[in-house]
Amino acid sequence: MCGNRPSMHKLFSDICPDDCIVTSDRLRDLDPGYCDTSRKAGVMLRPDTTDMVAAICARANQHGTPLVPQGGLTGLVDATATAPDQVALSLERMTRILRVDPLQRVIVAEAGATIAELDRAAAEHGLTTGIDIPSRDTATLGGVIATNAGGVRVIRYGMTRDNVLGLTAVLADGSVIEDMNTLPKDNTGYDLKQLFIGAEGTLGVVTAAVLRLFPRPAAKASALLACPDLASAQAVLGLAQILAGGNLLSFEAMWPEFYHLMTGYQCKGREPLPPSDALHLIVEVTGQTQDAAEALLLAIFETAAEKDLVQDGVIAKSDAERAVIWAIREDSDLMMRPLGAMLSYDISIEAARIDDFIACWTKAQAQHFPDVHSYVFGHLGDCNLHLCVGLTPDAKRNRGPIDDLLYATLADTPGASFSAEHGIGLQKRARLAASKPAATLTLMHQLKQTLDPKGIMNPGKVLI
Amino acid sequence: MCGNRPSMHKLFSDICPDDCIVTSDRLRDLDPGYCDTSRKAGVMLRPDTTDMVAAICARANQHGTPLVPQGGLTGLVDATATAPDQVALSLERMTRILRVDPLQRVIVAEAGATIAELDRAAAEHGLTTGIDIPSRDTATLGGVIATNAGGVRVIRYGMTRDNVLGLTAVLADGSVIEDMNTLPKDNTGYDLKQLFIGAEGTLGVVTAAVLRLFPRPAAKASALLACPDLASAQAVLGLAQILAGGNLLSFEAMWPEFYHLMTGYQCKGREPLPPSDALHLIVEVTGQTQDAAEALLLAIFETAAEKDLVQDGVIAKSDAERAVIWAIREDSDLMMRPLGAMLSYDISIEAARIDDFIACWTKAQAQHFPDVHSYVFGHLGDCNLHLCVGLTPDAKRNRGPIDDLLYATLADTPGASFSAEHGIGLQKRARLAASKPAATLTLMHQLKQTLDPKGIMNPGKVLI
């Protein structure tokens, strides 16, 4: 491999100025983000225009050189993994916010801009992005589009796909698909942008996009509610959607083991609600004023309590109290401190089958891996659960059997998904190949062949 | 052509029972819907299962026989047009509603079910479909998916694309892409269903789908507001989105000539608001109670009036009053009675450019066609205008020059779309070919070639 690194560098030297090229030795020193092998490429190119990206793709295609598009490196399935015979194509220098149109309610930006930067630019006009994820300060526009990122506001604003009005993508051969549409409605032919949303850079490189913006909520109110069981929690969701109409912003759930664990680290003795066998919800609504938002939340709380759907609850009375509640849910990395490496799963299950799945998994785990514990939390409003399994020293050496048992249990759950929002990358491509119908896989491979006949765009990701 | 009709019939006789085959002579007697040539096929097949659709496609592909998928025939761009050497593939017998899941908030149905039938089934569970169009009693699930239909609720629930969670599609070669996903979040590989949404049956036939459902609003309130100009109307939109949050259901506009014309027919002397030079808005919001919805609407009205954004207005106090207001906007077919055939355009324009476009068009029309008049109305909340041009006897004989002038004026408007929600079909394929960048057209043709190499799926529609 080493042998071809210099030539890989030279391959693009007439296209890219020196400051756009990072050689492998310097690359090794950079933060790999959430993917251990994101910095193992033979060279990293950092183009600063779509034209330069196009020239790089054309050249790479000509020589059959693999390109790995990279954004903020906050993905969780190794979609940005690289090898010495591959070129890392980073959008990190294409960070310009080109336009905010407050009348049209859109923001137009290059793919390297972070979600936090986009939201700050929107805020200057009293607007907000619909997309929000915990890694907002690092995750980029191109990255959330390539992974169709979800987050904690999906119940209100939808997935990334629902927020993208237009984009510019460069294909493997260097041709540029420019569709920077800013209109809510445009039915002029095939909606090509959909091909690149969620394709993890395997069909093209997104270099710029147009996102919808929304009026920035004047006020938010957050509550922590304790429900006796999942059925009650789901009934609270129904109530909240009816009472809050379109003003329900988040609806998150924490199963007892998770709530115990997290409050134990973060606020032992000062828990907003005492640990119990209850299923804890974080419900957040928006309003024109703080009083209006809190009144709406109180109405949801009281109506639910009257129906015995909620046994205890607290509404945050300050940003500090709100932060405490969210920290229990969002700082899940904390789990790793005492427990060490964990297995983390990102699954979707139909509302009516969630209880059955958790029961089946608990039973199967107790039978086959009595020493490990599972912690469940997630976006209940979207049927998306994050299930974390704490590893014993033994299990750490061999995670395969736990993966297999978890996914086998999930496969027995009709209509479930083994990747709700994290995508496929390298980590789940075997599950994808094993779980999709033959006709579906065939069409996915045909699309890949059509858009990238030489297979240079993020090869080996998503599809085997 | 006549010669091959019997053989076309025989071609499928071993696949389709007699009651599934309508020969050309009987076909001629059927209502063609909104497309004059929808009944000109050599034969119409009416399969009742996805398997039968697959068998028909495989057989047609084998013989290179063109198939034209048909739903409710309410499309406005001749996407269902047929010729004697083509087979009409009607989904009219696949009308089963397979499942309503009130907990998951989805409805699962075959493609031939009408939008009204779906909404009635949803209503039994206190839910509603997000999709609603004036042709709801005839338009089918498959049809709205094939055309990515819009309507009067897009500002609240999005386009059809935003409402489809899963679907089953049959490809030209008879292979079946089954993705009846019911989950809000599923990032397992390429989102193949996007290929078939808005493709007007040129990439495959949709035979079933899963739609999101939403809590059925307990109450609606509607207002007719008169604004001094477009800038004021757009400011009212901003206010309404802020004050109503997610509870704004419709935001429609009627320019003065349209309002004069329609009230003249429908309620002369009894107009909810007297005709004037004002731009009239229909604003509709939802609420938990009728009082709450009307109070919200009144708050929007009063806040707008304080800012001099609205000069007059009325809030409907009964369903009858509500019907009168909506009839002014929705019964636009009435225009054709006195004016005869009209040209109707379905365009999208960025909010900041709408006034300029209308000024340019008015000037160009006055200069080149002084005898014709234009009437503008539409979904202002979505930047989607419907522009109708009344035809003089002379213009009726030759619409081309008016089309050319209209689209040339639109082409001078940056970021505009010549088809917001009606699609391309036969009518606009030349505009598509003339207006899209070469790389975009190339990729569209590559997709067509990949999914339908023999070109049997609705040939000649969308792409030339």
Side-chain angles (χ1 to χ4, degrees), chain A residues 262 266 282 322-332 334:
Chain A
M262 296 299 288
Q266 296 192 322
I282 298 178
R322 186 169 169 272
V324 168
I325 290 175
W326 273 103
I328 299 171
R329 156 69 181 85
E330 284 203 326
D331 291 356
S332 44
L334 274 180

Side-chain angles (χ1 to χ4, degrees), chain B residues 10-137:
Chain B
K10 287 204 202 77
L11 191 60
F12 302 95
S13 55
D14 62 321
I15 298 171
C16 307
D18 289 350
D19 65 347
C20 147
I21 299 175
V22 179
T23 53
S24 56
D25 51 339
R26 286 186 295 142
L27 192 52
R28 299 287 178 278
D29 301 333
L30 302 178
D31 176 2
Y34 294 175
C35 173
D36 295 344
T37 58
S38 61
R39 302 305 196 181
K40 305 295 187 190
V43 64
M44 177 167 80
L45 303 179
R46 305 158 61 239
D48 54 12
T49 66
T50 294
D51 288 346
M52 197 182 296
V53 172
I56 291 167
C57 290
R59 180 65 57 87
N61 197 50
Q62 188 185 354
H63 294 263
T65 306
L67 297 174
V68 179
Q70 296 184 336
L73 303 178
T74 60
L76 298 170
V77 291
D78 294 337
T80 56
T82 53
D85 63 337
Q86 300 178 324
V87 174
L89 180 59
S90 172
L91 281 295
E92 67 186 26
R93 290 169 77 220
M94 294 182 65
T95 60
R96 278 167 293 196
I97 292 174
L98 304 169
R99 183 160 71 100
V100 179
D101 183 335
L103 192 59
Q104 193 65 18
R105 294 203 180 77
V106 297
I107 186 166
V108 184
E110 292 180 330
T114 66
I115 300 311
E117 288 164 349
L118 295 172
D119 195 53
R120 277 194 294 273
E124 291 173 13
H125 301 272
L127 301 169
T128 183
T129 56
I131 303 163
D132 187 41
I133 52 180
S135 56
R136 59 187 70 86
D137 293 313

Side-chain angles (χ1 to χ4, degrees), chain A residues 99 103-105 147-148 150-151 154 156 159 161-162 171 175-178 182-192 194-196 198-199 202-203 212 215 234 237-238 241-247 288 348-352 379 382-384 415-424 432 436-437 439-440 443-444 446-448 450-451 462-463, chain B residues 99 103-105 147-148 150-151 154 156 159 161-162 171 175-178 182-192 194-196 198-199 202-203 212 215 234 237-238 241-247 288 348-352 379 382-384 415-424 432 436-437 439-440 443-444 446-448 450-451 462-463:
Chain A
R99 180 160 73 100
L103 191 59
Q104 193 65 19
R105 294 203 182 75
T147 55
N148 187 30
V154 170
R156 169 71 171 271
M159 298 285 278
R161 186 181 302 277
D162 305 307
L171 304 186
S175 58
V176 178
I177 303 297
E178 185 164 11
T182 60
L183 302 164
K185 299 165 77 170
D186 176 36
N187 276 347
T188 53
Y190 304 153
D191 190 354
L192 299 180
Q194 304 298 339
L195 288 169
F196 307 101
T202 61
L203 298 180
R212 297 175 189 273
Q234 290 173 323
L237 173 61
Q241 288 184 309
I242 289 169
L243 294 176
N247 295 321
Q288 271 316 294
S348 259
I349 300 172
E350 285 190 330
H379 316 292
D382 311 318
C383 300
N384 176 194
S417 169
F418 62 89
S419 185
E421 59 180 5
H422 293 171
I424 303 299
L432 177 69
K436 294 288 183 182
T440 299
L443 184 50
M444 287 185 185
Q446 287 173 328
L447 288 176
K448 173 69 174 176
T450 299
L451 276 82
V462 183
L463 300 176
Chain B
R99 183 160 71 100
L103 192 59
Q104 193 65 18
R105 294 203 180 77
T147 55
N148 187 30
V154 170
R156 169 72 171 270
M159 297 287 277
R161 186 181 302 277
D162 304 308
L171 304 186
S175 56
V176 178
I177 302 297
E178 186 164 9
T182 60
L183 302 165
K185 299 164 78 170
D186 175 37
N187 276 349
T188 53
Y190 305 152
D191 190 354
L192 298 180
Q194 304 298 341
L195 288 169
F196 307 101
T202 61
L203 298 180
R212 296 176 189 272
Q234 291 173 323
L237 173 61
Q241 289 183 310
I242 289 170
L243 294 176
N247 295 321
Q288 272 315 295
S348 258
I349 301 172
E350 285 190 329
H379 316 293
D382 310 317
C383 300
N384 176 194
S417 168
F418 61 88
S419 185
E421 58 180 7
H422 294 170
I424 302 300
L432 178 69
K436 294 287 183 182
T440 299
L443 183 51
M444 287 186 184
Q446 286 174 328
L447 288 176
K448 174 68 173 176
T450 299
L451 277 82
V462 182
L463 299 176

Side-chain angles (χ1 to χ4, degrees), chain A residues 340-384:
Chain A
M342 301 189 82
L343 302 183
S344 176
Y345 300 96
D346 165 45
I347 60 182
S348 259
I349 300 172
E350 285 190 330
R353 304 182 192 273
I354 292 174
D355 255 348
D356 286 350
F357 169 80
I358 291 178
C360 290
W361 168 246
T362 303
K363 184 176 168 208
Q365 178 191 300
Q367 183 181 347
H368 299 279
F369 304 99
D371 301 337
V372 306
H373 296 280
S374 292
Y375 306 90
V376 183
F377 63 103
H379 316 292
L380 184 60
D382 311 318
C383 300
N384 176 194

Side-chain angles (χ1 to χ4, degrees), chain A residues 152-153 155-157 216-225 236-237 239-252 282-301 315-316 319 322 326, chain B residues 245-247:
Chain A
V152 297
R153 292 179 180 175
I155 196 169
R156 169 71 171 271
Y157 299 114
R216 199 170 190 87
K220 291 180 196 172
S222 307
L224 182 68
L225 305 178
V236 174
L237 173 61
L239 267 179
Q241 288 184 309
I242 289 169
L243 294 176
N247 295 321
L248 180 62
L249 189 61
S250 296
F251 196 92
E252 303 285 307
I282 298 178
V283 183
E284 191 159 271
V285 300
T286 57
Q288 271 316 294
T289 64
Q290 195 60 39
D291 289 350
E294 288 177 16
L296 172 57
L297 201 48
L298 189 62
I300 294 169
F301 180 13
I315 295 177
D319 286 347
R322 186 169 169 272
W326 273 103
Chain B
N247 295 321

Side-chain angles (χ1 to χ4, degrees), chain B residues 405-446:
Chain B
L405 183 64
L406 186 287
Y407 287 118
T409 308
L410 193 66
D412 290 338
T413 307
S417 168
F418 61 88
S419 185
E421 58 180 7
H422 294 170
I424 302 300
L426 281 181
Q427 287 183 16
K428 298 182 182 179
R429 59 183 191 164
R431 306 279 160 203
L432 178 69
S435 64
K436 294 287 183 182
T440 299
L441 288 172
T442 298
L443 183 51
M444 287 186 184
H445 281 283
Q446 286 174 328

